[in-house]
Short mmCIF file of all heavy atoms in Angstrom, two decimals:
data_model
loop_
_atom_site.label_atom_id
_atom_site.label_comp_id
_atom_site.label_asym_id
_atom_site.label_seq_id
_atom_site.Cartn_x
_atom_site.Cartn_y
_atom_site.Cartn_z
N LEU A 12 0.83 -1.22 -0.03
CA LEU A 12 0.08 -0.02 0.01
C LEU A 12 0.85 1.25 -0.03
O LEU A 12 0.60 2.27 -0.71
CB LEU A 12 -0.94 -0.05 1.25
CG LEU A 12 -1.86 1.24 1.37
CD1 LEU A 12 -2.80 1.19 0.17
CD2 LEU A 12 -2.68 1.05 2.67
N LEU A 13 1.92 1.19 0.80
CA LEU A 13 2.80 2.38 0.86
C LEU A 13 3.54 2.59 -0.53
O LEU A 13 3.71 3.72 -1.00
CB LEU A 13 3.90 2.18 1.98
CG LEU A 13 3.41 2.22 3.38
CD1 LEU A 13 4.50 1.88 4.36
CD2 LEU A 13 2.81 3.62 3.71
N VAL A 14 3.80 1.48 -1.24
CA VAL A 14 4.49 1.67 -2.52
C VAL A 14 3.50 2.25 -3.53
O VAL A 14 3.87 3.14 -4.28
CB VAL A 14 4.98 0.23 -3.05
CG1 VAL A 14 5.37 0.34 -4.46
CG2 VAL A 14 6.15 -0.28 -2.19
N VAL A 15 2.33 1.71 -3.50
CA VAL A 15 1.28 2.32 -4.42
C VAL A 15 1.06 3.78 -4.15
O VAL A 15 0.92 4.63 -5.08
CB VAL A 15 -0.11 1.48 -4.25
CG1 VAL A 15 -1.21 2.18 -4.98
CG2 VAL A 15 0.11 0.05 -4.79
N CYS A 16 0.91 4.13 -2.84
CA CYS A 16 0.72 5.51 -2.43
C CYS A 16 1.92 6.29 -2.96
O CYS A 16 1.65 7.51 -3.37
CB CYS A 16 0.54 5.66 -0.96
SG CYS A 16 -1.01 4.98 -0.29
N GLY A 17 3.07 5.80 -2.80
CA GLY A 17 4.26 6.56 -3.23
C GLY A 17 4.25 6.73 -4.77
O GLY A 17 4.56 7.90 -5.26
N LEU A 18 3.79 5.63 -5.47
CA LEU A 18 3.75 5.80 -6.96
C LEU A 18 2.70 6.85 -7.35
O LEU A 18 2.85 7.60 -8.24
CB LEU A 18 3.44 4.47 -7.55
CG LEU A 18 4.51 3.43 -7.50
CD1 LEU A 18 4.05 2.05 -7.98
CD2 LEU A 18 5.76 3.90 -8.34
N LEU A 19 1.52 6.79 -6.64
CA LEU A 19 0.44 7.82 -6.94
C LEU A 19 0.94 9.21 -6.65
O LEU A 19 0.60 10.07 -7.41
CB LEU A 19 -0.80 7.41 -6.08
CG LEU A 19 -1.52 6.08 -6.52
CD1 LEU A 19 -2.67 5.80 -5.62
CD2 LEU A 19 -2.05 6.26 -7.99
N ALA A 20 1.63 9.31 -5.51
CA ALA A 20 2.07 10.61 -5.13
C ALA A 20 3.10 11.24 -6.14
O ALA A 20 3.13 12.30 -6.51
CB ALA A 20 2.69 10.63 -3.76
N GLY A 21 3.98 10.25 -6.63
CA GLY A 21 4.98 10.63 -7.58
C GLY A 21 4.40 10.94 -8.88
O GLY A 21 4.73 11.89 -9.56
N GLY A 22 3.24 10.17 -9.29
CA GLY A 22 2.55 10.47 -10.52
C GLY A 22 1.80 11.84 -10.43
O GLY A 22 1.78 12.59 -11.44
N ALA A 23 1.27 12.11 -9.25
CA ALA A 23 0.61 13.36 -9.09
C ALA A 23 1.58 14.50 -9.25
O ALA A 23 1.16 15.52 -9.85
CB ALA A 23 -0.12 13.38 -7.75
N SER A 24 2.77 14.32 -8.63
CA SER A 24 3.67 15.37 -8.75
C SER A 24 4.17 15.65 -10.19
O SER A 24 4.50 16.75 -10.62
CB SER A 24 4.83 15.14 -7.90
OG SER A 24 5.59 13.93 -8.29
N LEU A 25 4.18 14.56 -11.00
CA LEU A 25 4.65 14.66 -12.38
C LEU A 25 3.51 15.15 -13.30
O LEU A 25 3.73 16.00 -14.16
CB LEU A 25 5.05 13.25 -12.85
CG LEU A 25 6.47 12.80 -12.48
CD1 LEU A 25 6.68 11.39 -12.93
CD2 LEU A 25 7.50 13.76 -13.07
N PHE A 26 2.30 14.70 -13.09
CA PHE A 26 1.21 14.98 -14.07
C PHE A 26 0.21 16.03 -13.60
O PHE A 26 -0.51 16.53 -14.44
CB PHE A 26 0.44 13.61 -14.38
CG PHE A 26 1.23 12.47 -14.76
CD1 PHE A 26 1.04 11.17 -14.28
CD2 PHE A 26 2.33 12.69 -15.68
CE1 PHE A 26 1.80 10.18 -14.76
CE2 PHE A 26 3.07 11.65 -16.15
CZ PHE A 26 2.89 10.39 -15.63
N LEU A 27 0.21 16.33 -12.30
CA LEU A 27 -0.66 17.39 -11.87
C LEU A 27 0.04 18.69 -11.42
O LEU A 27 -0.58 19.54 -10.84
CB LEU A 27 -1.53 16.86 -10.65
CG LEU A 27 -2.30 15.59 -10.94
CD1 LEU A 27 -3.11 15.16 -9.68
CD2 LEU A 27 -3.31 15.83 -12.13
N ASN A 28 1.32 18.74 -11.72
CA ASN A 28 2.06 20.00 -11.40
C ASN A 28 1.79 21.02 -12.47
O ASN A 28 1.00 20.73 -13.49
CB ASN A 28 3.60 19.79 -11.40
CG ASN A 28 4.12 19.41 -12.75
OD1 ASN A 28 3.43 18.75 -13.54
ND2 ASN A 28 5.33 19.87 -13.02
N HIS A 29 2.19 22.23 -12.25
CA HIS A 29 1.92 23.32 -13.17
C HIS A 29 3.21 23.90 -13.71
O HIS A 29 3.80 24.82 -13.15
CB HIS A 29 1.15 24.50 -12.41
CG HIS A 29 -0.21 24.01 -11.88
ND1 HIS A 29 -0.32 23.27 -10.71
CD2 HIS A 29 -1.44 24.13 -12.34
CE1 HIS A 29 -1.61 23.04 -10.43
NE2 HIS A 29 -2.32 23.46 -11.47
N PRO A 30 3.68 23.30 -14.83
CA PRO A 30 4.98 23.70 -15.36
C PRO A 30 5.10 25.08 -15.91
O PRO A 30 6.28 25.61 -16.08
CB PRO A 30 5.23 22.59 -16.41
CG PRO A 30 3.87 22.21 -16.86
CD PRO A 30 3.02 22.21 -15.59
N LEU A 31 3.94 25.75 -16.21
CA LEU A 31 3.98 26.97 -16.80
C LEU A 31 3.49 28.12 -15.89
O LEU A 31 2.97 29.16 -16.33
CB LEU A 31 3.24 27.06 -18.10
CG LEU A 31 3.57 25.98 -19.16
CD1 LEU A 31 2.70 25.97 -20.36
CD2 LEU A 31 5.13 26.18 -19.63
N LYS A 32 3.60 27.83 -14.59
CA LYS A 32 2.97 28.79 -13.65
C LYS A 32 3.65 30.26 -13.71
O LYS A 32 3.05 31.22 -13.35
CB LYS A 32 3.01 28.28 -12.23
CG LYS A 32 4.47 27.92 -11.69
CD LYS A 32 4.36 27.28 -10.28
CE LYS A 32 5.69 26.97 -9.79
NZ LYS A 32 5.59 26.25 -8.47
N ASN A 33 4.89 30.23 -14.10
CA ASN A 33 5.61 31.48 -14.21
C ASN A 33 5.69 32.05 -15.67
O ASN A 33 6.41 33.02 -15.93
CB ASN A 33 6.99 31.41 -13.62
CG ASN A 33 6.99 31.18 -12.16
OD1 ASN A 33 6.10 31.60 -11.49
ND2 ASN A 33 7.93 30.30 -11.71
N SER A 34 5.02 31.35 -16.58
CA SER A 34 5.01 31.73 -18.02
C SER A 34 4.20 32.90 -18.31
O SER A 34 3.03 33.01 -17.87
CB SER A 34 4.61 30.57 -18.79
OG SER A 34 4.44 30.92 -20.21
N PRO A 35 4.72 33.90 -19.03
CA PRO A 35 3.86 34.98 -19.55
C PRO A 35 2.86 34.45 -20.51
O PRO A 35 3.02 33.33 -21.08
CB PRO A 35 4.85 35.91 -20.23
CG PRO A 35 5.98 35.04 -20.69
CD PRO A 35 6.10 33.93 -19.60
N LYS A 36 1.76 35.17 -20.83
CA LYS A 36 0.74 34.73 -21.72
C LYS A 36 1.16 34.78 -23.11
O LYS A 36 0.65 35.60 -23.92
CB LYS A 36 -0.53 35.35 -21.39
CG LYS A 36 -1.18 34.99 -20.07
CD LYS A 36 -2.56 35.58 -19.89
CE LYS A 36 -3.22 35.07 -18.60
NZ LYS A 36 -4.61 35.61 -18.42
N GLU A 37 2.10 33.91 -23.48
CA GLU A 37 2.55 33.90 -24.92
C GLU A 37 2.06 32.67 -25.60
O GLU A 37 1.64 31.72 -25.01
CB GLU A 37 4.09 34.01 -24.96
CG GLU A 37 4.69 35.32 -24.43
CD GLU A 37 6.22 35.27 -24.44
OE1 GLU A 37 6.79 34.24 -24.97
OE2 GLU A 37 6.78 36.28 -24.07
N PHE A 38 2.03 32.75 -26.95
CA PHE A 38 1.63 31.63 -27.72
C PHE A 38 2.75 30.65 -27.97
O PHE A 38 3.98 31.04 -28.10
CB PHE A 38 1.10 32.05 -29.08
CG PHE A 38 -0.34 32.52 -29.07
CD1 PHE A 38 -0.59 33.93 -29.09
CD2 PHE A 38 -1.39 31.61 -29.10
CE1 PHE A 38 -1.94 34.38 -29.02
CE2 PHE A 38 -2.70 32.13 -29.04
CZ PHE A 38 -2.95 33.50 -28.96
#
């Protein structure tokens, strides 16, 4: 269970992060 939670937490950090949070509104 701990391994699965770790994987889910890692996945969340990879896929649910906001990589463009400091990006200006450019195309």
Side-chain angles (χ1 to χ4, degrees):
L12 181 62
L13 290 173
V14 170
V15 170
C16 289
L18 290 173
L19 289 175
S24 65
L25 281 174
F26 305 138
L27 301 181
N28 68 325
H29 299 81
L31 304 177
K32 60 184 177 181
N33 294 323
S34 170
K36 290 189 175 181
E37 295 180 1
F38 279 100

